[in-house]
Amino acid sequence: MRWPFSPSLAILAALSVQSAFAQDMDARARAAAAASRAKSGDSDAISNNYLTPGLANQPVSTVDNSRSFTPHLACQQSATMLEMLVQPGTTGDITHLSISRDKDLDGAFDQVLTLPVPVSGICANGVISCSPGSWNQCQSFKWDIGGSGDLKLGQVDMPDLAGCYCINASCGANLVAGNLPSVLKDLGGGVIGALTTADPRIAVAQASIDGPVIRYVGAQTTACTSSPAVSATSYRANPTAISGDAYAASQSNSVFTALAASPAGNGKAEETRSCTIEREIAVKAWDFTDIVSASGSITSTSSCGTGCLRFQIRGAGTCGSNPPVYTVTFNPLLPSRIVSARIIEMGADDWVQGRINGQVVGSAGKRLWTGDGLPSGDCRISDDPWYNRTPIDFTDRLKSGATSVSARVRGGGGGNWGTITVEIQVDTSCEVSERLVDLCAGYAGDPACRLTQEDVDGVETVRNGVVTGLKPLPFTRLFGTGSCTFQYSRDFFLRTRRYACVVDTSGTTQPDLSRATYIIDHSTETLLADQTRTSDGALVQSTRAFALPDRPAVAACESICKTRAPSANSGVAPAGAVAQKQNVPVGWDSFYHVCSADNVCPLGDGEEIVSPCGCLDDFPEAVVMMQTVRLAGSDLACTAVAR
């Protein structure tokens, strides 16, 4: 017996299969989206799942955790590259701030820095120190790296700092204790910024806070060399070399050559390219410790003028067969700035022998003491002390490398000492460098490019390819800080340009869009129209039933809520604390939260609801705020005085 075929049953079966397939796709899509959000939904997830294990040579897994691999991005790792401890005092200032640092990432701290001043304000790149509990007699300091690679604070002008705010009692009570995690992150961020700027190889894998301590896990990336001046970061110092190196690489690259010779690479189109011509003037102030470092048996250090220090090596002697030796090692950090290095005095009661790199160079005593043996004379001599003030120069030795100066002392009884005084003179004059970084030279020399826009120090000189006739007024700027301050007048400091360059695309085959156009113009929600071409070139039109699978209902928007929390205005500027200039120094911080599945707003500490969960649209408010900032910036640019 044969059952009759029913088209309606076939259609129902097809629709049921289609619906089941759609549901299956929907479930898989939602599962994939949830897995992706779990892996990279916020900055903490990205850091924990990818950044930290990638820099720490730990396994990194795919979104669905089906596969994993261990990348090798870092050459060295340190469990604690940097550790910072802060302790606030009764005045609200941070009275104790110590930083321990692992410079060479070998797992051991080799630099400990304790700030000699209280911290009254924190900036993105430094700190501010004022009279405790007030905002008076303030000094600004910027995080910097010395010539030997040590972290240090350098005094700068207030405008050289960024993002500063007050933390002591003059701006509120218990600001450090109440906001300790954010205070630690801001201080640590400034230090890490200085370290990574000085050495681009350094990367931070993880930061953790434990009470008043923040720790950073570090790694060395980019290049496994002992010097931060590696080829991978050379363009930072010489950005103009990028164009030439890119062209040289393209000529030997088979993929680039194939694409350049393809039809897609032979057409013509116009591309807009932006570039700058900037005059960079750098002023470097040198300290004695940036040029020469000293370590060992240093009894005292005294100044002998600008860039001059005297080191005294002093110790007690014995009358035995092995007189003690006291040694100081001088390390030339910048030999070219060493002017002179001399032993200017030897003194003893009874005997002292001076040595440089283990070689005897002089002595002081009743008679000469030139050998490795004992001097010919009695020990415990009761005469007056003996002095030898004949200068002994070792400048060339110090410029050639680390040099040790030793005092070998023999004495006893009431007179039992020997001393050597070393004087080192260095050049601490300011170093000024100027260079013009022209990133537009390639475009300016290309006949296929034409200049369409130019801005010179804020003055628009070319607009839409036409010269406006405007020229910037003579401009003078101050560079450097403190005693290393210089004033320069130049015809320009920054040119911002935009070029329109013609790219040949004439050989590109234009796609045939006639079929797509026919489908779009003739199809409906229930009917799919199509147009195909037969083997003999004829066009054939056809239609068939069409229906989209049922889709689950989707909310009109992502439900969010707006909240606010009171916030004291702790920002500071060169004129003082901002709150002192306001009638109401306490304001509000606004927050936006994604509502939960049951439409509940997740409030944070101290927050109150401003707008409940729903489809919020604060775009007009954002536009007004951005326009206010833009107009304020324009007004400041017109009325500001060059400093």
Side-chain angles (χ1 to χ4, degrees):
M1 179 177 181
R2 294 183 179 179
W3 292 93
F5 175 75
S6 173
S8 60
L9 291 176
I11 294 174
L12 288 174
L15 290 177
S16 64
V17 173
Q18 190 178 41
S19 176
F21 182 69
Q23 293 176 0
D24 181 60
M25 285 194 303
D26 181 73
R28 286 187 293 164
R30 291 182 182 277
S36 178
R37 282 196 297 268
K39 282 281 190 177
S40 57
D42 53 36
S43 59
D44 290 337
I46 293 174
S47 177
N48 294 332
N49 293 312
Y50 300 111
L51 180 60
T52 299
L55 291 176
N57 288 353
Q58 298 175 356
V60 176
S61 60
T62 57
V63 173
D64 59 357
N65 294 322
S66 61
R67 297 182 181 181
S68 64
F69 67 98
T70 302
H72 296 279
L73 304 179
C75 307
Q76 292 178 290
Q77 300 84 35
S78 173
T80 305
M81 179 188 74
L82 186 139
E83 182 177 280
M84 177 184 295
L85 169 67
V86 300
Q87 292 179 346
T90 57
T91 60
D93 304 84
I94 296 177
T95 54
H96 177 78
L97 193 157
S98 63
I99 301 173
S100 301
R101 180 185 166 209
D102 182 2
K103 293 170 56 177
D104 50 8
L105 302 180
D106 62 351
F109 290 133
D110 39 34
Q111 182 194 3
V112 177
L113 173 65
T114 301
L115 265 62
V117 294
V119 177
S120 309
I122 301 174
C123 305
N125 56 345
V127 297
I128 298 176
S129 179
C130 307
S131 296
S134 69
W135 203 255
N136 301 320
Q137 299 177 351
C138 296
Q139 294 179 306
S140 304
F141 299 90
K142 183 178 180 180
W143 297 111
D144 197 4
I145 305 299
S148 59
D150 289 338
L151 179 69
K152 67 177 184 178
L153 276 178
Q155 188 168 355
V156 296
D157 294 333
M158 174 68 177
D160 291 331
L161 301 179
C164 301
Y165 61 92
C166 172
I167 59 171
N168 65 11
S170 66
C171 299
N174 297 323
L175 294 179
V176 175
N179 303 276
L180 190 57
S182 61
V183 167
L184 288 170
K185 290 179 181 179
D186 293 340
L187 285 170
V191 174
I192 294 298
L195 294 177
T196 53
T197 299
D199 190 346
R201 301 171 303 162
I202 296 176
V204 175
Q206 188 177 14
S208 60
I209 295 177
D210 182 11
V213 177
I214 185 170
R215 297 182 179 90
Y216 290 91
V217 177
Q220 177 182 312
T221 62
T222 303
C224 303
T225 66
S226 59
S227 172
V230 295
S231 58
T233 59
S234 60
Y235 295 126
R236 179 174 177 267
N238 185 20
T240 57
I242 295 178
S243 298
D245 291 351
Y247 177 78
S250 67
Q251 299 306 301
S252 59
N253 188 283
S254 58
V255 176
F256 179 86
T257 305
L259 290 175
S262 66
N266 294 328
K268 286 187 178 181
E270 191 171 77
E271 296 179 350
T272 300
R273 300 170 182 173
S274 300
C275 61
T276 58
I277 304 175
E278 185 174 6
R279 190 182 307 278
E280 294 184 353
I281 299 178
V283 180
K284 172 68 176 179
W286 293 99
D287 295 331
F288 188 96
T289 54
D290 296 329
I291 302 171
V292 176
S293 65
S295 60
S297 303
I298 301 175
T299 306
S300 64
T301 304
S302 61
S303 175
C304 48
T306 302
C308 182
L309 284 182
R310 287 178 179 170
F311 302 85
Q312 186 183 66
I313 308 170
R314 184 185 181 96
T318 65
C319 291
S321 59
N322 294 309
V325 178
Y326 304 92
T327 302
V328 174
T329 301
F330 299 95
N331 189 27
L333 304 177
L334 195 62
S336 60
R337 283 186 168 261
I338 297 176
V339 178
S340 65
R342 302 182 303 164
I343 296 176
I344 61 172
E345 181 182 86
M346 299 182 191
D349 189 354
D350 301 325
W351 308 82
V352 66
Q353 184 183 73
R355 298 188 175 197
I356 296 178
N357 291 338
Q359 179 182 358
V360 179
V361 294
S363 64
K366 190 172 184 178
R367 284 179 292 277
L368 291 177
W369 184 12
T370 59
D372 293 334
L374 299 180
S376 58
D378 296 333
C379 196
R380 299 184 179 89
I381 301 174
S382 60
D383 296 334
D384 293 335
W386 303 88
Y387 290 97
N388 180 357
R389 295 186 175 90
T390 302
I392 301 173
D393 189 278
F394 61 98
T395 306
D396 294 338
R397 297 189 189 184
L398 183 57
K399 287 185 175 182
S400 300
T403 303
S404 63
V405 179
S406 305
R408 189 182 182 200
V409 183
R410 185 170 188 259
N416 183 17
W417 57 268
T419 180
I420 291 179
T421 303
V422 177
E423 178 184 281
I424 298 180
Q425 175 78 38
V426 299
D427 180 9
T428 57
S429 61
C430 306
E431 180 179 336
V432 182
S433 61
E434 178 178 352
R435 67 170 183 167
L436 194 65
V437 182
D438 187 358
L439 301 181
C440 299
Y443 302 140
D446 190 346
C449 298
R450 59 185 178 88
L451 180 64
T452 58
Q453 300 284 136
E454 184 183 57
D455 181 285
V456 181
D457 292 331
V459 178
E460 192 175 19
T461 58
V462 177
R463 179 188 301 169
N464 296 329
V466 180
V467 178
T468 62
L470 301 176
K471 293 183 178 180
L473 297 174
F475 200 25
T476 300
R477 286 185 180 179
L478 291 178
F479 295 87
T481 58
S483 60
C484 286
T485 302
F486 296 88
Q487 179 174 293
Y488 289 93
S489 298
R490 297 291 186 267
D491 54 349
F492 78 92
F493 288 93
L494 176 64
R495 292 180 183 265
T496 302
R497 289 180 173 180
R498 183 175 297 171
Y499 287 86
C501 300
V502 176
V503 180
D504 190 3
T505 60
S506 59
T508 305
T509 302
Q510 298 299 321
D512 183 6
L513 303 178
S514 59
R515 183 184 180 188
T517 303
Y518 182 88
I519 294 174
I520 294 173
D521 292 344
H522 296 82
S523 298
T524 65
E525 295 181 358
T526 59
L527 184 69
L528 177 63
D530 197 2
Q531 176 179 269
T532 58
R533 190 179 297 274
T534 62
S535 58
D536 58 358
L539 294 176
V540 177
Q541 288 83 26
S542 62
T543 58
R544 58 176 174 172
F546 174 75
L548 290 172
D550 294 335
R551 302 298 300 153
V554 180
C557 68
E558 185 177 34
S559 182
I560 61 174
C561 59
K562 181 179 181 181
T563 65
R564 69 176 186 176
S567 173
N569 190 351
S570 57
V572 295
V578 176
Q580 297 177 358
K581 310 297 181 181
Q582 297 177 328
N583 295 328
V584 181
V586 178
W588 299 90
D589 288 337
S590 296
F591 306 92
Y592 290 89
H593 301 285
V594 177
C595 296
S596 61
D598 51 354
N599 219 33
V600 175
C601 181
L603 290 175
D605 294 338
E607 294 182 22
E608 62 182 45
I609 295 178
V610 177
S611 301
C613 295
C615 296
L616 303 185
D617 181 12
D618 287 349
F619 184 73
E621 180 182 352
V623 171
V624 171
M625 295 173 64
M626 290 187 291
Q627 182 74 345
T628 302
V629 174
R630 186 186 70 83
L631 293 176
S634 300
D635 180 65
L636 290 173
C638 294
T639 59
V641 178
R643 63 178 179 88

